[in-house]
DNA sequence: CCTACCGATCGGTAGG
DNA sequence: CCTACCGATCGGTAGG
């Protein structure tokens, strides 16, 4: 007998089936274009059965955005990225994030839906849940304080994450979303290089 | 008598009234959450009257995204930004874009709606319309070819625009959308400084 | 015959 | 968790 310390109740299994059914539907169609009947059908239950687990349609989205929002994946990836020097860390962290983004091209869609269809209503409480991890990352950047040009760590982190995100978002903004992300690791390397050294030639600083 | 070379027909005026009514509704609520009745009410006409100008609801959005997509504003701003040196241009262009973004906090929402609710269906043809302007911007960056570290101009432009966008997007991603954007011009200056010189100390390049 | 637009209502579907 | 429904509203269209 395999010990199962937390045997999920049948109700919890159904709840998870509803979330698993709704998640890809929301990402592919958006929130308002997804019907409760679609979710129920994909979950293998009746529409009314959903309401035994969620009081309203929007509560399904609320549960999803707290369970699966991208920040809780991005921040641990950045923290786990190896590298004793700032350069190594930056390139490793960028590569790890790019790999994650390639494996999950819908990474940011949950946030986009939140912004467009919920007017960012969940954002404040969402930010609160990740704030401790942001502080952890700040302290890691403080390790290399002597290497940087005295720029505040929060601005560095914000710029770095913005770099990687914008590199990824640009695929959304220049072409069709369909198909897996075609990424050029060399381009990513160049972008990180700009982050570290800027676009100007050494010695050209005026 | 004022000469009016292209007096808009009454039909054209109504068409523009429909677009002017639908635009803020789409930005505030998203596409699917906006009803034709809301659009008609705001335009001051009956719902059925819309169908004299648009065959279907989605044709309203199609017209809007081609008329008012953010790229056609961003690219001219970048091209018009003054500056004889690369540094001057970068800071001026960033400031001009930030001003534009502050005045229009919903700048990117049209693209987000396109991504989420239309699966980026308009993106390929949208990109075709702005491609000539991108080429123009590339040639401007080529002017300072001797100042940069041999990085390809497209990557520089992509990184620069990504910088400014990500700086702006971060407000969406860390707090509520409501209210005008609170922007710190000093922060923006620092981000541009990182773009030009990197985060590392001069002489620390290994 | 055209356009622009109306009040009323179509077949289906929304969340509950 | 189901079948059977509700008030209302959806996008779109009828004749005039």
């Amino acid at each position: 007998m395999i010990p199962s310390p937390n045997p999920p109740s049948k109700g919890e299994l159904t709840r998870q089936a509803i979330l698993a059914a709704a998640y890809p539907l929301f990402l592919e169609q958006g929130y308002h274009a997804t019907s409760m009947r679609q979710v129920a059908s994909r979950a293998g239950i009746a529409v009314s059965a959903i309401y035994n687990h969620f009081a309203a349609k929007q509560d399904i989205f609320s549960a999803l955005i707290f369970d699966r929002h991208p920040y809780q994946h991005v921040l641990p990836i950045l923290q786990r990225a190896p590298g004793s020097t700032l350069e190594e860390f930056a390139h490793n962290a960028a590569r790890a994030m790019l790999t994650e983004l390639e494996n999950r091209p819908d990474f940011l869609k949950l946030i986009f839906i939140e912004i467009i269809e919920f007017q960012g209503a969940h954002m404040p409480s969402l930010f609160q849940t990740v704030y401790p991890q942001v502080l952890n990352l700040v302290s890691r950047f403080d390790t290399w304080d002597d290497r940087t040009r005295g720029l505040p760590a929060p601005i560095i982190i914000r710029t770095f994450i913005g770099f990687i995100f914008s590199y990824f978002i640009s695929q959304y903004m220049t072409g069709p979303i369909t198909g897996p992300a075609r990424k050029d690791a060399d381009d990513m390397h160049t972008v990180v290089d700009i982050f570290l050294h800027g676009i100007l030639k050494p010695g050209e600083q005026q």
Side-chain angles (χ1 to χ4, degrees), chain A:
Chain A
M1 302 250 288
I2 299 166
S4 28
N6 293 321
S9 65
K10 197 181 175 202
E12 180 59 25
L13 284 177
T14 302
R15 184 189 145 92
Q16 290 304 323
I18 294 168
L19 293 175
Y23 185 64
L25 290 171
F26 287 163
L27 290 188
E28 286 161 20
Q29 304 174 333
Y31 172 79
H32 284 102
T34 298
S35 69
M36 293 293 269
R37 281 154 180 79
Q38 285 178 309
V39 176
S41 169
R42 190 153 180 157
I45 58 176
V47 178
S48 59
I50 296 179
Y51 292 91
N52 293 325
H53 303 273
F54 299 94
K57 185 188 179 188
Q58 64 179 3
D59 293 337
I60 301 178
F61 183 82
S62 297
L64 282 173
I65 195 147
F66 282 107
D67 284 1
R68 317 191 182 189
H69 64 85
Y71 302 125
Q72 70 187 170
H73 294 270
V74 170
L75 291 170
I77 286 173
L78 291 184
Q79 270 172 334
R80 284 197 309 265
S84 55
T85 70
L86 186 49
E87 288 88 342
E88 284 176 14
F89 169 75
H91 284 289
N92 287 334
R95 186 159 27 239
M97 270 203 57
L98 191 59
T99 301
E100 176 72 12
L101 292 170
E102 282 175 354
N103 292 335
R104 298 180 53 187
D106 291 328
F107 208 66
L108 292 177
K109 277 196 173 182
L110 210 56
I111 295 295
F112 288 170
I113 294 172
E114 161 72 12
I115 293 170
I116 290 300
E117 303 196 81
F118 289 88
Q119 292 82 45
H122 305 89
M123 280 300 187
S125 53
L126 208 61
F127 186 66
Q128 278 193 340
T129 65
V130 299
Y131 188 64
Q133 291 184 282
V134 173
L135 288 184
N136 269 341
L137 202 57
V138 167
S139 70
R140 174 149 190 190
F141 268 91
D142 281 340
T143 307
W144 299 294
D145 205 16
D146 55 323
R147 295 288 317 284
T148 63
R149 295 162 46 228
L151 307 165
I155 290 188
I156 292 182
I157 293 172
R158 177 180 178 171
T159 307
F160 182 67
I161 296 180
F163 255 63
I164 302 173
F165 270 14
S166 70
Y167 179 79
F168 178 69
I169 289 177
S170 69
Q171 80 166 330
Y172 281 106
M173 297 206 170
T174 57
I177 317 296
T178 58
R182 273 193 318 123
K183 290 274 120 259
D184 192 342
D186 290 342
D187 282 357
M188 185 75 223
H189 195 276
T190 303
V191 170
V192 173
D193 191 55
I194 293 177
F195 173 72
L196 291 172
H197 304 123
I199 66 166
L200 296 180
K201 281 183 186 171
E204 287 272 344
Q205 337 254 356
Q206 61 195 16

